[in-house]
Amino acid sequence: MPFLGLGARRSAVAITFRRDHVLVRAGDGRWVRWRLPSDFVTPSPTEPNLASSVEAARAVQAALRPLGASGSSFSDAVIALPDRAAHAALSEGAGSRAARRLRTELVRGLATTWAPSPSELDGRFRFGTLASGSLGHRSLLGAVTGAPVVQQYEAAAEAAGLRVRWVDATSLAALPEWLGRGSGKSDRRLLLLLHRRHFVLAAASGPRLTGFRMKLRAALDPDPPALAIRRAAEHGRPSVEILGDGAVAVADLVRPLGLTLTGARDAQESAGSPAMSPVTEGALAALLRRVGERPAPLHPTPLAVSED
């Protein structure tokens, strides 16, 4: 979701808020996880997400301090929102008419619990669209969210003196590069992105996105995502890549289906330090690349972890 033009290259950090912490990743591979009160973040596309905008800003400032201790300075930020802070859907076709139609459908979905006025919707829907496939056979993935929702996250970064360059939902941020890795027009693939309480399943045929689902699950329950893969593979034998929380457990359930499993990568701890999900890391690195950074691999342990 770009919403500022690419000017001169600046040093950027990638920021994401999770239920009880904020995570800040620098392009050189260092990262800081700063603890927040339990359930500080409640993802929603219609209601405020952060328990306190002031405390969120303080947390970002606190996380930046150790990153800047070595003389590094940061002027820009990219932000990966929790997936459930955006309402997303896939539609056939591309172009302005398809985008308008998809936006209408997404807003209608939000209106089941909230009837937003134009001023209450984030106006950057255009930047949340992903058109994939050849000109004659395309699909369009889009996302909408409330303007106050995005503004909360932006305000936390801006209070730390950062200029926000990109905002995207975490799992959506990882999709463009995954689509670009398709090896052929008929190459059928599934990508399962696992979070503790939900999962995203994307399907592609070559460079074209053919399916997108976001579903809730009980904490780390492997059955719902495994069932989603089984259903998606009923009419073919796609290859499957599984990333995120509980990936190995889901892979164990998928293997008997006889599908080609191209990878199953779980969050990994190192020397007792908190693990970063490969979904989160992939999204943050992808967003940094969008602003011209070439992110180095993560250091094996975070730079600092708050006990506050």
Side-chain angles (χ1 to χ4, degrees):
M1 298 183 187
F3 55 91
L4 288 176
L6 297 181
R9 184 177 183 277
R10 295 167 179 254
S11 180
V13 291
I15 301 171
T16 189
F17 280 89
R18 289 297 177 259
R19 192 169 298 274
D20 60 358
H21 68 273
V22 61
L23 192 147
V24 180
R25 186 222 202 273
D28 62 6
R30 295 176 300 146
W31 58 286
V32 174
R33 176 174 171 167
W34 194 265
R35 195 165 295 169
L36 291 165
S38 178
D39 293 326
F40 184 87
V41 181
T42 306
S44 167
T46 59
E47 302 292 336
N49 285 202
L50 307 179
S52 166
S53 295
V54 173
E55 288 303 316
R58 288 175 179 166
V60 172
Q61 291 170 331
L64 284 174
R65 280 196 292 269
L67 287 174
S70 63
S72 302
S73 61
F74 308 101
S75 56
D76 293 350
V78 292
I79 301 176
L81 300 181
D83 286 345
R84 287 182 290 150
H87 180 47
L90 183 69
S91 175
E92 292 294 319
S96 59
R97 287 186 180 180
R100 287 194 297 269
R101 185 169 59 250
L102 179 57
R103 179 186 173 92
T104 299
E105 292 171 0
L106 287 166
V107 172
R108 188 180 298 124
L110 289 179
T112 57
T113 57
W114 174 58
S117 68
S119 63
E120 293 173 315
L121 264 179
D122 187 79
R124 292 168 298 197
F125 167 79
R126 176 173 64 87
F127 308 108
T129 58
L130 171 63
S132 65
S134 64
L135 288 175
H137 196 202
R138 283 196 167 182
S139 61
L140 185 70
L141 178 69
V144 294
T145 191
V149 172
V150 179
Q151 289 164 3
Q152 268 199 312
Y153 291 99
E154 291 175 332
E158 290 166 354
L162 300 168
R163 181 177 65 146
V164 179
R165 299 286 298 280
W166 291 75
V167 178
D168 211 338
T170 299
S171 293
L172 301 187
L175 290 181
E177 293 184 1
W178 174 72
L179 280 172
R181 293 198 296 269
S183 59
K185 292 183 179 179
S186 60
D187 174 30
R188 296 193 65 239
R189 298 171 292 147
L190 297 176
L191 176 65
L192 179 66
L193 302 176
L194 295 163
H195 303 267
R196 295 190 68 85
R197 292 178 174 84
H198 76 282
F199 66 90
V200 169
L201 181 64
S205 179
R208 179 174 174 266
L209 197 62
T210 58
F212 177 87
R213 297 183 66 191
M214 185 183 299
K215 301 285 288 183
L216 296 177
R217 65 168 178 163
L220 297 180
D221 183 357
D223 290 324
L227 177 60
I229 288 177
R230 186 179 296 111
R231 288 174 174 169
E234 285 177 350
H235 303 292
R237 305 189 71 78
S239 62
V240 182
E241 183 177 4
I242 304 174
L243 300 173
D245 298 299
V248 173
V250 176
D252 289 341
L253 295 178
V254 169
R255 281 192 182 90
L257 301 178
L259 303 175
T260 301
L261 190 61
T262 59
R265 192 153 56 95
D266 213 326
Q268 303 254 333
E269 293 190 7
S270 178
S273 65
M276 185 190 297
S277 164
V279 181
T280 301
E281 160 54 9
L284 297 183
L287 289 174
L288 285 171
R289 281 189 283 272
R290 293 186 197 178
V291 295
E293 294 282 352
R294 295 184 179 179
L298 290 177
H299 284 201
T301 57
L303 192 68
V305 178
S306 167
E307 297 298 331
D308 297 338

